[in-house]
Amino acid sequence: MNTIDAATSFAKKAAAAVPVQRDDARWVALSRVKGLGCVSFKKLAAHFIDPTQAFSASAAELAEVPQLDHDVIDALLKFSHWDEVSEELRRAERAGARIVLFSDPNYPERLRMISDPPPFLYVKGEFKASDEKAVAIVGSRSASDYGRRVARDLCRGLASIGFTVVSGMALGIDGVAHDSALNAGGRTIAVLGCGVDRAYPPDHGKLYHRICEKGAVVSELPIGTRPMSYHFPARNRLISGLSLGVVVVEATEKSGSLITATLALEQGREVFAVPGEVGSSRSRGAHRLIRQGAKLVESVDDIIEEIAPQLLPRRGDVAKETRQLPENASDGARKVFGLLQERALQIDEVIEASGFTPPRVSEILLELELQGYLRQLPGKRYIAER
Amino acid sequence: MNTIDAATSFAKKAAAAVPVQRDDARWVALSRVKGLGCVSFKKLAAHFIDPTQAFSASAAELAEVPQLDHDVIDALLKFSHWDEVSEELRRAERAGARIVLFSDPNYPERLRMISDPPPFLYVKGEFKASDEKAVAIVGSRSASDYGRRVARDLCRGLASIGFTVVSGMALGIDGVAHDSALNAGGRTIAVLGCGVDRAYPPDHGKLYHRICEKGAVVSELPIGTRPMSYHFPARNRLISGLSLGVVVVEATEKSGSLITATLALEQGREVFAVPGEVGSSRSRGAHRLIRQGAKLVESVDDIIEEIAPQLLPRRGDVAKETRQLPENASDGARKVFGLLQERALQIDEVIEASGFTPPRVSEILLELELQGYLRQLPGKRYIAER
C-alpha cells in the first residue's frame, strides 16, 4: 500500500466514525465480524494493546497480525453493522446485563487463560474477587436422590469455606449446586447456553433471579439467544474455564458433563468425579472418568487437597506426614508403633525391643496393621505407615 | 572342619536316619526348625537343588549358603524332632490333606514367585493347571446387599470365562465369592488362616466341603491350628500370591482387605476396587484404594482388560483402537465421523467437506460429541475419538 492509498484508507475509516463508538460497542462489533471467532480474537488481543484498534487499522497493519485469516482482515475492513451493535447494546441495557470486556479488570482471570476466551461476557449480577476460588459442580439432568444429596453436601461445604460454585443452571445436579451454595450463604455463577436475559429452563425462574441477585448469571451469547443444544459444548468450556476444577456428580455415558470434564483437562483444570453404585447408569460416566484418571471425590477435603492444599492445615485437618495414634491407643501400642517408626523390624525384634510377650506383640501388630498404622514388608518385617 | 570331624559328622547324620525320611517329612521338618521362616527357606532353596539337603549338610556346607543366619545353621544341625514331624504327617493324612511341596510341579507357579512363598501347602481338594488364571475377590465380613450382589456378579462372570476365584472363606464377601464361583460351575480356592482341616467359620461348614470337592482349600499352617487373628495378614499374602489380581468389593477403612491389596501391590499383582455410594462406610476403603491408584471395577471386562487383555477380543468386545459408530447411526453421522477420523476440522471445514447445511452439521457434531465419538480441540476444531 502506498502513502496515498494509506491516507485514503484512513479517511474512509474516519468517515465510518469508528473512533466515536463506545468501548463496549467496538468489542461487541468485533464479535459480529464475519469469521472472527475467539481464536482470531486472541490473535488481535495479542497484537494490539486494544484489539478493537483492528477497526481503525489499515489492511497493511492487519496483515501484520500473525496468522490472522485473510477473510477476517477483509471482513474487518468492510465492517459496517454499527446499527446492529447499537441495538444489541440497548437490548443488554434493557435486560439489566452489563458487558464485561476481556480488557476489564473484572473479567475473570482464570477464564482469560484458556485458549478461546470470549472477548466479552454478558453478566447479570456481578463477579467478585473471591470468585477466583471457584469449583464447578456439574452432572445429570435426571439426577437420583443420591446424586442430589452428594451435590448438596459438596456445595454446602465449598460455600462454607468461601468457594464459589460454578454450574450450568440445568435441571438436576446443576440446579442443586446453585441452590445449595446460595442456601449456605455462598457465591454461585451460572453459565447459560442461551442469552443471559433468558431464565432457562423455566422451572429455574426463581433460582435464576436469586443467582442474579447474589451471584452472577453469565453468557457469551447475544441477548435473546434461544437455548439450542449445539450451544452447550461451547458453554461448557466457560464452566470449566471459570473454575479451578470440575466435579462430575452423576453422569451417564453420554452426558454433556463428560464434555465439560474433557474441556477442563485441556484447560489444565482438575477433574473430579463422585462414585456411585455399580449398575447405576447414572454413575457410569463418573466411573469412566475415574478410570481415566479423574480424582475420586467423597468429600470437600478431596477437592481442596488437589486444588488448594494450603487451605487444609488451617482447617485443623493436620498433615498426613507423621501419623499419630488415636488418643485411646494403649501404651503398648504406642511403644510398638514408636519402635516401627524408626525402622522395619521382624516380630522377634519387636518382642525383644519391647519386652512384651509374643502373643501381646502379635496382637498389637495385628491391631495396628488392621487400623492402617503399619504394614508388612517382605521378609515379615513391619514398619509404621507415614 | 578336618577330615575326621567331617567323617564323624557324617556318621552322626547317618545315625539320625535323615536319608530314610520321606520327602514330605523332610520339608515339614524344615518348617519346624527354630528360626527358619520363609525367607531362610528361600535361601536354602536357592543354594541346594533340594533344600532339605540342609539336613544332611555339614556346618561348613551350611555356612556357604549366602546370608543364612548362624542360629538357623545351629538349629538345622541340632534338629531332632522327627517324631513331631511323623505325627504331623499322620494328622494330615487323617484330615485327608495332601502336602504340596515347593518342589512339586503342582505347587502354584504364581505363588512360587512371591518373596516369601511357603515351603509347602496343606491342600484339601486339588490344584489344577487352570488355576493359573486366578483372581482374588475379597471384602468386608459385614457386607451390604449391594456388595454381595456385585461380588456375585463378578464371580459368576469370572467363572464363566474359566477364571478361578480365590478368597479367604470369611463371612460376607469372601463366602459369596466362593459360593458364586461354584454355583456357576467354576473353580474356587479358599486360603485359610487356620489348619486346613478346620471348617472355619462354622457357618461355612457346608461351603468348606463343597470347595474341598470342587476346588481347593489351602493353608500353610499346621493341621489343627486354630484361627487366630494374627494369622490373617500372613494368610492374605497367599490370597494375593495365588492371583493375577485382587478385587476389593467392600472394605471399611480398617479392613483386612486393604492389607491384602497392599500385599498384592508388593507382589506386583493388580489391585481393583468396586466403588459404592459416598457416605457408605463400607465403601470407604475401596474408595481410598481407587484414589491410591487401584483400578475402578464395574464389570468383569474391567478386570480382564488389565490382567488378560488378549481374552477380550475373543469375547467379541472388539478393540477400542478404531472406533465404530453404532449400527443405527445416520449416513450423515458416518460421513462426518469419517472426515474427522482423518484429521481435526473446524465446523466450517466440515460443512464444506460434507456439503451439509450448517444446522445439520452442528447437530451431527453435537450428537457425536455427546456420544463420545469425537471431541473438541482448542480452536473449535473437532476430531474423532480413537
Side-chain angles (χ1 to χ4, degrees):
Chain A
M1 195 183 279
N2 60 37
T3 323
I4 295 172
D5 279 353
T8 316
S9 163
F10 181 76
K12 265 192 208 159
K13 294 272 170 201
V18 176
V20 302
Q21 295 289 338
R22 278 162 50 185
D23 243 27
D24 48 4
R26 293 151 54 99
W27 285 75
V28 170
L30 269 187
S31 72
R32 301 277 166 129
V33 172
K34 194 161 174 286
L36 199 161
C38 293
V39 174
S40 301
F41 166 76
K42 251 209 150 170
K43 292 172 189 166
L44 294 178
H47 187 75
F48 297 107
I49 293 171
D50 170 356
T52 66
Q53 287 178 337
F55 284 120
S56 41
S58 67
E61 285 163 344
L62 289 172
E64 282 170 18
V65 179
Q67 296 180 300
L68 188 63
D69 222 64
H70 221 81
D71 294 348
V72 172
I73 296 178
D74 260 7
L76 272 167
L77 291 169
K78 284 184 198 149
F79 186 79
S80 63
H81 306 301
W82 295 101
D83 45 346
E84 274 181 28
V85 171
S86 304
E87 176 56 28
E88 174 69 9
L89 293 180
R90 274 192 296 275
R91 275 199 209 117
E93 208 174 321
R94 276 199 300 272
R98 74 187 71 190
I99 293 175
V100 177
L101 304 177
F102 186 82
S103 61
D104 191 315
N106 262 337
Y107 191 97
E109 204 49 53
R110 194 156 288 109
L111 188 59
R112 211 188 283 277
M113 299 174 200
I114 72 173
S115 65
D116 46 3
F120 57 88
L121 292 167
Y122 295 94
V123 180
K124 287 197 59 160
E126 55 179 340
F127 289 129
K128 292 207 168 169
S130 63
D131 294 335
E132 188 129 357
K133 274 169 55 186
V135 170
I137 306 278
V138 298
S140 178
R141 283 175 172 72
S142 65
S144 70
D145 287 346
Y146 164 68
R148 288 168 182 274
R149 191 177 72 232
V150 176
R152 191 190 61 217
D153 291 348
L154 290 177
C155 292
R156 267 189 197 158
L158 286 166
S160 75
I161 52 170
F163 271 79
T164 297
V165 171
V166 180
S167 196
M169 219 178 82
L171 296 175
I173 297 298
D174 287 17
V176 172
H178 295 301
D179 188 57
S180 310
L182 290 173
N183 290 346
R187 295 261 314 156
T188 191
I189 297 175
V191 188
L192 305 189
C194 58
V196 74
D197 56 317
R198 286 182 173 263
Y200 180 86
D203 284 357
H204 281 170
K206 202 174 151 195
L207 179 61
Y208 168 86
H209 290 292
R210 286 172 68 208
I211 302 173
C212 290
E213 202 176 307
K214 300 279 187 187
V217 175
V218 174
S219 175
E220 64 176 326
L221 297 166
I223 299 294
T225 304
R226 291 171 55 197
M228 303 298 279
S229 58
Y230 54 83
H231 291 147
F232 292 111
R235 183 274 307 264
N236 292 352
R237 90 184 192 288
L238 304 186
I239 292 179
S240 52
L242 284 164
S243 310
L244 288 156
V246 173
V247 183
V248 176
V249 176
E250 275 191 324
T252 59
E253 284 196 286
K254 298 180 178 183
S255 168
S257 304
L258 301 189
I259 298 179
T260 312
T262 306
L263 295 169
L265 282 179
E266 286 171 2
Q267 294 168 348
R269 310 296 156 86
E270 296 294 334
V271 176
F272 303 89
V274 173
E277 293 196 344
V278 167
S280 159
S281 62
R282 290 198 188 90
S283 286
R284 211 161 287 154
H287 291 161
R288 194 172 98 187
L289 285 175
I290 293 170
R291 267 199 297 270
Q292 290 170 347
K295 189 171 174 192
L296 184 152
V297 168
E298 286 184 300
S299 69
V300 169
D301 280 3
D302 296 327
I303 302 169
I304 300 307
E305 195 174 277
E306 210 66 29
I307 60 174
Q310 73 282 5
L311 296 179
L312 278 182
R314 277 188 227 154
R315 301 181 56 219
D317 184 351
V318 186
K320 305 208 163 167
E321 288 134 54
T322 53
R323 203 92 172 241
Q324 303 271 332
L325 290 188
E327 289 204 9
N328 62 0
S330 69
D331 288 349
R334 283 181 200 288
K335 185 161 187 176
V336 169
F337 186 65
L339 289 169
L340 297 174
Q341 279 184 313
E342 289 162 30
R343 61 190 192 91
L345 295 173
Q346 287 196 322
I347 185 162
D348 289 346
E349 298 171 305
V350 178
I351 291 165
E352 198 176 315
S354 65
F356 299 154
T357 62
R360 182 155 179 222
V361 168
S362 288
E363 195 185 325
I364 290 174
L365 289 176
L366 180 75
E367 193 70 20
L368 289 175
E369 189 172 5
L370 286 176
Q371 293 173 359
Y373 288 105
L374 54 84
R375 64 195 181 96
Q376 283 194 51
L377 298 178
K380 301 225 177 174
R381 290 171 306 135
Y382 289 83
I383 192 156
E385 288 280 5
R386 269 165 225 284
Chain B
M1 195 183 277
N2 60 33
T3 323
I4 295 172
D5 279 354
T8 318
S9 163
F10 182 76
K12 266 193 206 158
K13 294 272 169 201
V18 175
V20 302
Q21 295 290 339
R22 280 163 48 184
D23 242 27
D24 50 4
R26 292 151 54 98
W27 284 75
V28 170
L30 269 187
S31 71
R32 301 278 165 132
V33 172
K34 194 162 174 286
L36 199 160
C38 292
V39 175
S40 301
F41 165 76
K42 252 211 148 170
K43 292 173 188 164
L44 293 178
H47 188 76
F48 297 108
I49 293 170
D50 170 357
T52 66
Q53 288 177 338
F55 284 119
S56 42
S58 66
E61 285 164 341
L62 289 173
E64 282 170 17
V65 179
Q67 295 181 297
L68 189 63
D69 221 64
H70 220 82
D71 294 349
V72 173
I73 295 177
D74 260 10
L76 271 166
L77 291 169
K78 284 182 197 149
F79 186 79
S80 62
H81 307 300
W82 295 101
D83 45 347
E84 275 181 26
V85 170
S86 305
E87 176 56 26
E88 175 68 8
L89 292 179
R90 273 193 296 277
R91 277 199 208 118
E93 209 175 321
R94 276 200 299 272
R98 76 188 69 190
I99 293 175
V100 177
L101 304 178
F102 186 82
S103 61
D104 192 313
N106 263 336
Y107 191 96
E109 204 48 54
R110 195 154 288 109
L111 188 58
R112 212 188 281 276
M113 299 173 200
I114 71 174
S115 65
D116 45 3
F120 57 88
L121 292 167
Y122 296 95
V123 180
K124 287 198 60 160
E126 55 179 341
F127 289 128
K128 292 208 167 167
S130 64
D131 295 336
E132 187 130 357
K133 271 169 57 185
V135 170
I137 306 278
V138 298
S140 177
R141 284 176 170 73
S142 65
S144 70
D145 287 345
Y146 164 68
R148 289 170 182 272
R149 191 177 72 231
V150 177
R152 191 191 62 215
D153 291 348
L154 290 177
C155 292
R156 267 188 196 160
L158 286 167
S160 74
I161 52 170
F163 272 79
T164 297
V165 171
V166 181
S167 196
M169 219 177 83
L171 295 175
I173 298 297
D174 287 18
V176 172
H178 295 300
D179 189 55
S180 310
L182 291 174
N183 290 347
R187 296 261 314 155
T188 192
I189 297 175
V191 188
L192 305 189
C194 57
V196 75
D197 57 316
R198 286 182 174 263
Y200 181 86
D203 283 356
H204 281 170
K206 201 174 151 196
L207 179 62
Y208 168 87
H209 290 292
R210 286 172 68 209
I211 302 173
C212 290
E213 202 176 305
K214 300 280 188 185
V217 175
V218 175
S219 175
E220 64 177 325
L221 297 165
I223 299 293
T225 304
R226 291 171 54 198
M228 304 297 279
S229 57
Y230 54 84
H231 291 146
F232 292 111
R235 183 275 308 262
N236 292 351
R237 91 185 192 287
L238 303 186
I239 292 179
S240 53
L242 284 163
S243 309
L244 287 156
V246 173
V247 183
V248 176
V249 175
E250 277 191 322
T252 59
E253 284 195 286
K254 297 180 178 183
S255 167
S257 302
L258 300 189
I259 298 179
T260 312
T262 305
L263 295 169
L265 282 180
E266 286 171 3
Q267 294 167 350
R269 309 295 158 87
E270 295 294 334
V271 176
F272 302 89
V274 173
E277 292 195 343
V278 167
S280 159
S281 62
R282 288 197 189 91
S283 285
R284 211 162 287 155
H287 290 162
R288 194 170 97 185
L289 286 175
I290 292 170
R291 266 200 298 270
Q292 290 170 346
K295 190 172 172 189
L296 183 151
V297 168
E298 287 184 298
S299 70
V300 169
D301 280 3
D302 296 327
I303 302 170
I304 300 307
E305 196 175 276
E306 210 66 29
I307 60 174
Q310 72 282 6
L311 295 180
L312 277 184
R314 276 188 228 154
R315 302 180 57 220
D317 184 352
V318 187
K320 304 210 162 165
E321 287 136 54
T322 52
R323 203 94 172 241
Q324 302 272 332
L325 291 188
E327 290 203 11
N328 61 1
S330 69
D331 288 348
R334 284 183 200 288
K335 185 161 187 178
V336 169
F337 186 66
L339 289 168
L340 297 173
Q341 280 185 314
E342 289 161 30
R343 62 190 191 89
L345 295 173
Q346 287 195 321
I347 185 161
D348 289 345
E349 298 172 306
V350 178
I351 291 166
E352 199 177 314
S354 66
F356 297 154
T357 61
R360 183 155 178 220
V361 169
S362 288
E363 196 185 326
I364 291 174
L365 289 175
L366 181 74
E367 194 69 19
L368 290 174
E369 188 171 5
L370 286 175
Q371 292 173 1
Y373 288 106
L374 55 83
R375 61 193 183 97
Q376 283 195 48
L377 299 177
K380 301 227 175 169
R381 288 170 307 135
Y382 290 82
I383 193 157
E385 288 279 6
R386 270 164 222 288

